[in-house]
């Protein structure tokens, strides 16, 4: 376990545990885990006020601090022992914030509102059938979670998926490309960053029959093109940064470069969906992130990592714009 954890959180941390950590005593599960792990350690002490203020405890805290342990300071107030003063366990929000910082998750998207589209769309054929694609929504949901962790407000417009959206995202569920277009255009004025991971249907059936179609020989469906949501965003956007995804099976770089220009995007994330095991309906992805200034290859990794790399590129573009506006 010591090798597999991302962080060790001790909440609440007693005076005894702090003393053992400081001295390297390893005579039970928790203290052994502390000595054996190289992951960041966060402790949120809670104890009687006199124990907290005792020179021994303060000295132990000093040792741990010097060693890089994050101490989430206790709050002050009425304590379970009947005394009043510092020693109350810190609020959850403070513990979470300290942990994210210890993990190196910066809040570099604080103040931004990120509008993300995710998943497939469904176009009705008749009351029981529809046209759709293999998108699982995982890439978009990973981006939503990553943007939230980096401090952004997240508006998630999602086609039908089997996933639970991040609790803090503001979710608008949609089904068809046309519903996705309406929701995106409604939310666009609130957004400062738009990321379009959704695999939007390119064709729809204009007037699907009201009754279930019966089988009778070969069937020809007449399809009308859907509206290009990104095209509409490009026409209406003000200062938003817009990032598109390109799902390609051939000539990826050329097609992505063309879409970057033709859809007036600030960046495009090229997904080679012809490769087995990455992209559509998979936990991993391998992409190329193209902006006007750089092309970054992200070899096969988790969608979570890809999401972080896309957001890194977004933050670099934001910083560049800020520097230009100051110059
Ligand atoms: N997209 C969109 N509206 C559509 C179709 C696609 O906004 N009706 C967006 C997707 O969300 C994605 C980007 O456009 O961010 C590229 O999607 P893709 O399917 O790769 O490209 P298309 O524009 O559909 O072009 P083609 O199918 O010819 O490759």
């Amino acid at each position: 376990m010591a090798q597999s954890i991302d962080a060790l959180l001790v909440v609440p941390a007693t005076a005894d545990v702090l003393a053992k950590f400081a001295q390297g005593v390893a005579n039970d599960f928790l203290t052994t885990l502390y000595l054996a792990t190289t992951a960041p350690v966060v402790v949120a002490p809670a104890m009687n006020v006199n124990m907290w203020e005792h020179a021994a405890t303060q000295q132990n805290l000093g040792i741990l601090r010097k060693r890089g342990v994050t101490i989430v300071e206790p709050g002050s107030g009425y304590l379970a022992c009947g005394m009043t003063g510092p020693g109350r366990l810190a609020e959850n929000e403070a513990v979470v914030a300290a942990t994210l910082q210890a993990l190196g998750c910066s809040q570099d998207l604080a103040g931004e509102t990120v509008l993300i589209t995710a998943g497939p769309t469904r176009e009705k054929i008749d009351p029981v059938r529809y046209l759709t694609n293999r998108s699982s929504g995982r890439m978009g949901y990973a981006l939503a979670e990553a943007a939230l962790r980096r401090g952004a407000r997240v508006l998630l417009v999602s086609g039908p998926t089997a996933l639970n959206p991040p609790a803090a995202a503001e979710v608008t569920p949609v089904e068809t490309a046309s519903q996705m277009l309406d929701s995106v255009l409604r939310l666009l004025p609130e957004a400062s960053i738009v990321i379009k991971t959704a695999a939007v249907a390119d064709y729809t059936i204009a007037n699907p029959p009201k009754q279930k179609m019966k089988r009778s020989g070969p069937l020809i469906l007449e399809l009308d093109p859907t509206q290009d949501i990104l095209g509409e965003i490009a026409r209406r956007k003000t200062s938003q940064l817009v990032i598109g995804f390109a799902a390609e099976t051939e000539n990826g770089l050329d097609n992505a470069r063309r879409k970057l220009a033709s859809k007036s995007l600030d960046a495009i994330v090229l997904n080679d969906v012809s490769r087995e095991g990455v992209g559509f309906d998979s936990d991993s992805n391998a992409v190329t992130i193209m902006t006007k200034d750089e092309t970054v290859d992200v070899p096969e990794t988790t969608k979570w990592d890809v999401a972080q790399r896309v957001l890194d590129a977004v933050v670099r573009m934001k910083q560049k714009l800020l520097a230009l506006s100051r110059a």
Side-chain angles (χ1 to χ4, degrees), residues 117 177 196-202 226-231 233 243-248 258-259 263 265 268:
T117 67
K196 284 224 68 229
T197 64
V200 186
D202 284 328
T226 55
Q227 227 174 319
D228 184 7
I229 304 175
L230 272 177
I233 293 175
I243 294 92
F245 270 65
E248 303 293 344
R258 189 175 42 75
K259 284 179 193 172
K263 293 181 185 247
L265 299 173
I268 193 152

Side-chain angles (χ1 to χ4, degrees), residues 179-248:
Q179 288 168 357
M180 186 170 276
L181 173 72
D182 291 346
S183 299
V184 165
L185 295 184
R186 181 171 48 80
L187 296 169
L188 183 63
E190 292 180 48
S192 55
I193 297 164
V194 183
I195 307 180
K196 284 224 68 229
T197 64
V200 186
D202 284 328
Y203 289 92
T204 188
I205 297 174
N207 291 307
K210 296 263 180 301
Q211 306 303 329
K212 185 182 165 204
M213 290 195 282
K214 293 290 176 202
R215 175 162 48 178
S216 61
L219 172 69
I220 293 173
L221 293 174
E222 194 173 316
L223 305 176
D224 289 338
T226 55
Q227 227 174 319
D228 184 7
I229 304 175
L230 272 177
E232 206 51 46
I233 293 175
R235 264 190 291 285
R236 299 187 189 206
K237 74 169 188 176
T238 48
S239 59
Q240 291 91 347
L241 276 183
V242 183
I243 294 92
F245 270 65
E248 303 293 344

